[in-house]
Amino acid sequence: MKYLALCSLGLEKILSNELKKMNYKIDKANDGMIEFSGGEFDYYNLNLNLRTAERVFIKLGEFNAFTFDDLYDGIISLHLSSFFPKNGKIIIDKVRTSRSALYNQSVIQSVVKKAIVEKLKKEYKINSYKEENGEYKIRVYIKNNKVTLALDTSGEGLHKRGYRKLVSEAPLRETIAASMILKAGWKRKHVLIDPFCGSGTIPIEAAMYGLNIAPGLYRNFVFETWFNFDKSKFGKYKKNAIENIKYTDLKIFGFDKEYKMIEIAKENASNFNLDKYIEFERKNMESVTLDFEEGYIITNPPYGDRLNDKKHAEKIYEQMRYLRKKYPKFKYSIVTSHEKFEEFFGSKSDKKKKVVNGKQVLYIYEYNK
Ligand SMILES: C[S@@+](CC[C@H](N)C(=O)[O-])C[C@H]1O[C@@H](n2cnc3c(N)ncnc32)[C@H](O)[C@@H]1O
């Protein structure tokens, strides 16, 4: 079976590496989408364990379409009853088109829906299709006249782990925090410090990774509503994930100048019983003193998207030079929307990665020496 895993644009390599570690061979990786093959129920394991994917789709089919007739016929040619029941709620969730003859999203939506329903009526030999049970969300991608039909197995985006009940003003997406941690090469034996921790996303993601807690362990997925949901199989994957947790001491610290943020971060960590693995403390970045000579500073300082905030953010980046001077042996990974962060921080990064998530554009700056 073919799968598609989605990530923010720019993070394809990190997600591909995660998949490779799970023994998948990557067929294609571009435009925030990784294509690979896997077993019939691998999406249980993928949703449970991937830290940097936004969603996991089953690829239902791929064909060329220049007209709506082609689109309809292409869907009719697919075998669909192994994925849909005779009474599922079918939702054409999103249509994305580029450089193609077909572009009218609402017409595409209705043609796809009609063709799927007609094909299922034929396969199930029924006269009418009642949409009653289970949610089946479909995405249609049309690029260069090639249609890809994808069935969402995740439901809510995978960044929603379930621990973040409270957030800061500008919370970082959990999947981007996890990507920074994996990309930087942080491991459980290393020190990790987030001097601008806000609601605690980076320290919490690090603790989950450090203890090998599967990111999807405490949430639900849409496939649990499906007609072919195998509860005992999914239970085995979950049991396996629980057995793989390695409780061990970690050296993870989160600081923020706001008391309120520290309270929120502590509460979020305690939602997953991670409070004893992370030390959160109210501290100004300017007064951070560490008992360690080496480690990782992985952080998300204020962005300053608005004009006045921008000046303030730039000042903070200048003040961050102090950290680098005082702790030169640390590795740094800093994410911000500011394209010129390096100018203010006073040195050029070893790696700069642009990450695009919807309308948000971020840059991850890494300093490795
Ligand atoms: C972009 S937010 C971090 C969001 C966080 N990654 C999350 O997911 O919630 C930046 C944080 O930096 C904190 N901050 C601003 N100036 C600071 C300073 N001088 N020292 C320490 N923290 C500061 C703010 O209170 C805010 O929580």
Side-chain angles (χ1 to χ4, degrees):
M1 197 151 81
K2 290 276 182 209
Y3 285 100
L4 300 167
L6 241 60
C7 62
S8 299
L9 288 174
L11 298 179
E12 295 85 354
K13 199 168 162 201
I14 299 163
L15 176 54
S16 297
N17 285 343
E18 254 201 300
L19 287 162
K20 282 182 201 159
K21 278 213 176 114
M22 289 167 85
N23 289 324
Y24 291 103
K25 209 179 122 283
I26 309 299
D27 295 335
K28 269 187 240 163
N30 47 40
D31 296 339
M33 199 185 270
I34 319 296
E35 187 170 332
F36 57 100
S37 303
E40 191 186 348
F41 289 103
D42 280 14
Y43 56 94
Y44 292 3
N45 205 33
L46 292 161
N47 277 295
L48 208 50
N49 288 298
L50 285 174
R51 292 181 198 279
T52 65
E54 295 296 335
R55 276 169 198 285
V56 176
F57 293 96
I58 293 170
K59 184 172 168 184
L60 297 172
E62 192 176 70
F63 52 87
N64 284 326
F66 298 90
T67 66
F68 288 114
D69 283 345
D70 294 344
L71 179 62
Y72 188 88
D73 294 344
I75 290 169
I76 295 290
S77 73
L78 303 175
H79 180 73
L80 296 178
S81 54
S82 33
F83 303 106
F84 300 89
K86 54 173 84 149
N87 60 348
K89 286 182 206 137
I90 297 171
I91 301 145
I92 313 302
D93 189 29
K94 271 188 188 160
V95 175
R96 295 265 180 275
T97 60
S98 65
R99 298 190 293 275
S100 299
L102 299 179
Y103 58 85
N104 186 323
Q105 301 203 352
S106 56
V107 181
I108 293 169
Q109 236 163 344
S110 61
V111 170
V112 170
K113 173 82 186 252
K114 188 163 191 307
I116 290 176
V117 167
E118 284 311 310
K119 184 62 198 279
L120 288 171
K121 276 164 46 181
K122 211 179 261 174
E123 286 186 35
Y124 281 114
K125 300 187 175 56
I126 50 177
N127 292 325
S128 70
Y129 192 85
K130 292 203 180 81
E131 301 205 26
E132 294 164 337
N133 294 322
E135 226 177 71
Y136 300 82
K137 283 195 176 172
I138 291 159
R139 284 200 187 179
V140 186
Y141 295 97
I142 310 183
K143 194 174 166 189
N144 296 326
N145 302 305
K146 187 173 266 173
V147 180
T148 303
L149 207 66
L151 175 63
D152 181 11
T153 69
S154 307
E156 273 206 296
L158 293 180
H159 64 281
K160 296 205 173 158
R161 325 290 205 199
Y163 60 78
R164 212 162 69 174
K165 311 266 191 249
L166 300 163
V167 290
S168 58
E169 246 180 60
L172 185 65
R173 209 169 245 259
E174 295 84 338
T175 38
I176 295 181
S179 301
M180 291 174 78
I181 293 161
L182 296 186
K183 186 168 165 13
W186 179 83
K187 296 276 177 317
R188 68 166 74 90
K189 61 180 181 204
H190 299 132
V191 174
L192 185 145
I193 289 144
D194 180 358
F196 301 95
C197 73
S199 54
T201 316
I202 294 172
I204 294 171
E205 287 296 321
M208 286 174 72
Y209 175 54
L211 302 177
N212 206 27
I213 298 175
L217 195 55
Y218 306 116
R219 55 160 279 168
N220 293 106
F221 303 100
V222 76
F223 64 72
E224 293 172 66
T225 72
W226 290 0
F227 76 119
N228 58 355
F229 176 53
D230 187 335
K231 202 172 171 185
S232 86
K233 196 183 277 288
F234 186 45
K236 279 186 198 144
Y237 280 119
K238 274 190 155 177
K239 188 168 169 272
N240 195 33
I242 292 167
E243 283 167 3
N244 284 337
I245 297 175
K246 288 194 192 87
Y247 288 107
T248 177
D249 285 342
L250 297 173
K251 293 184 271 309
I252 301 177
F253 302 83
F255 307 123
D256 200 285
K257 73 172 171 77
E258 303 287 343
Y259 273 118
K260 193 164 164 258
M261 282 302 132
I262 294 303
E263 289 308 307
I264 288 176
K266 281 184 178 170
E267 198 167 326
N268 286 338
S270 74
N271 287 334
F272 273 15
N273 287 325
L274 295 170
D275 27 341
K276 53 180 173 294
Y277 298 96
I278 310 168
E279 270 183 47
F280 286 112
E281 204 182 327
R282 198 214 72 82
K283 259 186 202 179
N284 273 14
M285 179 268 301
E286 302 84 330
S287 59
V288 165
T289 49
L290 307 173
D291 298 332
F292 308 97
E293 279 214 352
E294 335 183 8
Y296 288 70
I297 291 184
I298 303 185
T299 196
N300 169 213
Y303 293 134
D305 285 331
R306 281 165 294 177
L307 194 63
N308 285 342
D309 295 354
K310 198 165 181 179
K311 289 259 169 306
H312 179 66
E314 287 165 356
K315 202 152 176 225
I316 290 176
Y317 305 157
E318 276 171 6
Q319 286 163 339
M320 284 172 74
R321 292 178 186 203
Y322 139 90
L323 272 183
R324 190 98 200 284
K325 212 179 249 171
K326 201 160 168 201
Y327 303 103
K329 289 191 182 157
F330 268 75
K331 292 182 194 296
Y332 292 74
S333 175
I334 298 153
V335 69
T336 163
S337 60
H338 204 308
E339 210 175 338
K340 296 197 172 132
F341 168 82
E342 291 156 309
E343 272 178 31
F344 300 93
F345 190 52
S347 62
K348 199 163 159 26
S349 60
D350 295 304
K351 283 186 200 155
K352 178 179 175 183
K353 167 92 22 236
K354 185 175 178 183
V355 178
V356 182
N357 197 297
K359 283 187 188 133
Q360 192 181 38
V361 180
L362 296 173
Y363 300 90
I364 299 174
Y365 299 92
E366 285 183 330
Y367 297 81
N368 297 324
K369 42 185 173 312

